[in-house]
Amino acid sequence: MTARADAAAETGRRVVAAAKALFMERDYEDVTLADVAADADVTVQTVIRRFKSKEGLATVVADEIGSDIRSSREVSRPGDVAEAIHLLVASFEAMGGMNWRLLRQGHRIPLIGERLRLARAAHRAWIEACFAPLLPRRGAARERRILSLFVATDFYAWKLLRLDLGLPPAEVERVMCEMAKAITGTSRGAAVDGEASVRRGGAARGRA
């Protein structure tokens, strides 16, 4: 029984690995269960018996990829902007092609549209964790800073710099890091809190 269970688990891992490789290279519609079965060296019926459908298999693959992404972007020191951006850009370098294909398909494939919604929520959670010491504690100021960081660190920012403008990865990392530091007030000479700067300016005008 143990040997049979181990064999079944290994078959499942082979199928998921084969599907993951195919989804990384092709659009969702261009990946068939027959392709997956051939690459995993199993029958289509084996794939269907274990994962029920292509959507079921894609969901398992998406969960695994999501876990990989979260692990690859986990910072050791919250508030370290350079580390956060370095990990982020490395992740985009590895997943950029797939990300762009998913974004182009999200409007017509409900499964992908839902996974993109979850990915955006996960990216916001990443921002809140990585930049925690640099965020206002509450209120509109906190929300504005999170949204600003979202724009500066979103996949579209990487795509514009890397794919559209053709910058090398190191320069993309430098630009995104400078944007994030400017937003969080950690660049040289920047105010730590924009709202505090406004209040100080107002107080000075009042004394004048």
Side-chain angles (χ1 to χ4, degrees), residues 117-189:
R117 184 189 69 80
L118 294 174
R120 292 184 185 103
H123 188 61
R124 180 186 173 108
W126 176 82
I127 289 169
E128 293 183 280
C130 289
F131 298 95
L134 309 175
L135 298 174
R137 291 187 178 181
R138 61 181 67 85
R142 176 184 176 83
E143 184 65 13
R144 282 195 301 272
R145 188 162 296 180
I146 290 171
L147 291 177
S148 296
L149 285 168
F150 204 121
V151 172
T153 61
D154 188 63
F155 170 78
Y156 279 114
W158 175 86
K159 176 186 174 294
L160 173 64
L161 295 167
R162 183 76 171 99
L163 303 185
D164 299 341
L165 299 181
L167 298 181
E171 187 62 20
V172 172
E173 184 176 330
R174 187 175 296 112
V175 172
M176 293 181 76
C177 191
E178 287 180 359
M179 288 193 292
K181 285 183 175 181
I183 291 166
T184 56
T186 53
S187 56
R188 185 175 300 175

Side-chain angles (χ1 to χ4, degrees), residues 63-110:
D63 288 341
E64 185 170 300
I65 290 175
S67 179
D68 292 344
I69 291 173
R70 286 190 296 274
S71 296
S72 71
R73 297 181 185 180
E74 187 173 341
V75 299
S76 59
R77 299 177 300 278
D80 187 331
V81 175
E83 181 192 19
I85 299 302
H86 176 73
L87 294 175
L88 180 73
V89 171
S91 174
F92 285 150
E93 286 293 317
M95 302 285 188
M98 184 194 68
N99 286 350
W100 182 228
R101 282 193 298 276
L102 290 175
L103 286 165
R104 290 190 285 105
Q105 299 171 84
H107 70 284
R108 68 177 186 273
I109 301 174

